[in-house]
Amino acid sequence: MSAVSREIQEVYGLCHRAERLREQGRYAESEALFKQALALAEQTFGEDSPKLITVLNNHAVLYKYSGQFDEAEQLYRRALELAVRALGEQHPEIATIYHNLGGLEHARGRYAEGESWARRSVEIRERLLGADHVAVAADLAALAGILDGQKRYAESEPIYHRVLAIFELAYGPEHYEIAVNLNNLAALKNATNQTEEAERFYRRALAMKEGLLGEEHPDVAMTLNNLGVLLKKTARLEEARGMYERALAIFERTLTPTHPRLLACRANYEKARGAGGRPALGVERA
């Protein structure tokens, strides 16, 4: 095996380990490995090599999860420039980066800015893979969340149902993507005051995430916070406080002190403790 081949394996091995740490909510450890992988890739292949695309994209995903949004955007845009140059505009890798840029704008709360990215990812992937492919469903789910952020619920709800049907056919009744979309559909139902349906979807999403990710994962905390918002809205303050307390403990351990999810959950908890009439914050799509 050549030295370059060994270094390729080392880069992607580091990325794989970093992704596993991200999935476990261990963001600081994941970041250290991604930085190591990127430095090695740049040194080995050069800063303009298409071999950097995957490293840049996946490192940016980690930054989005950890709330380092400006850093994520820089890496996504660098990955996009390299990908367009190497692969052309109509390639699955381009669709993935568009999807991720849309998700980043969603995380920032800049929904209108994210919509064009999300629609471009759907258009490319439908053309390449067909309307019922799971990758198309993932793009559609991201678009639905962005439409929700703009309160365009009549447009987003049928998209969520289409997405769930594709995922359930492909994956069976339990899968992480199904849990994410149940959470998102619950948020829509809550926003449109269909609280019984919202609670049912939140509790299904929570049970599925706990089973798949473990009870101490940041994604579990997000759904706990959202369920707390619903419980407070329906005047079940003690239950709401319990959800917020559990979510806050997870967020404080796994996120930076200024992360929007942590700040929103802490604000919700304080309002529930005071039993105030102010609306809760932070109902979030995954």
Side-chain angles (χ1 to χ4, degrees), residues 137-138 140-141 157-173 175-186 201 204 208:
L140 287 166
E157 183 168 1
I159 296 176
Y160 282 134
H161 286 292
R162 177 182 167 191
V163 166
L164 281 169
I166 294 171
F167 283 154
E168 287 170 349
L169 184 62
Y171 299 134
H175 188 274
Y176 174 71
E177 295 289 354
I178 294 172
V180 166
N181 281 278
L182 286 170
N183 175 88
N184 295 349
L185 187 54
F201 286 131
R204 279 183 63 194
M208 203 176 295

Side-chain angles (χ1 to χ4, degrees), residues 171-200:
Y171 299 134
E174 289 207 4
H175 188 274
Y176 174 71
E177 295 289 354
I178 294 172
V180 166
N181 281 278
L182 286 170
N183 175 88
N184 295 349
L185 187 54
L188 182 150
K189 295 292 185 181
N190 188 30
T192 53
N193 294 315
Q194 301 173 71
T195 54
E196 289 186 9
E197 284 188 87
E199 183 172 353
R200 178 164 55 87

Side-chain angles (χ1 to χ4, degrees), residues 18 20-31 62 218 254:
R20 298 291 80 78
L21 289 166
R22 175 185 62 76
E23 290 169 358
Q24 295 165 25
R26 295 161 62 182
Y27 297 149
E29 295 169 78
S30 177
E31 181 180 358
L62 178 274
T254 58

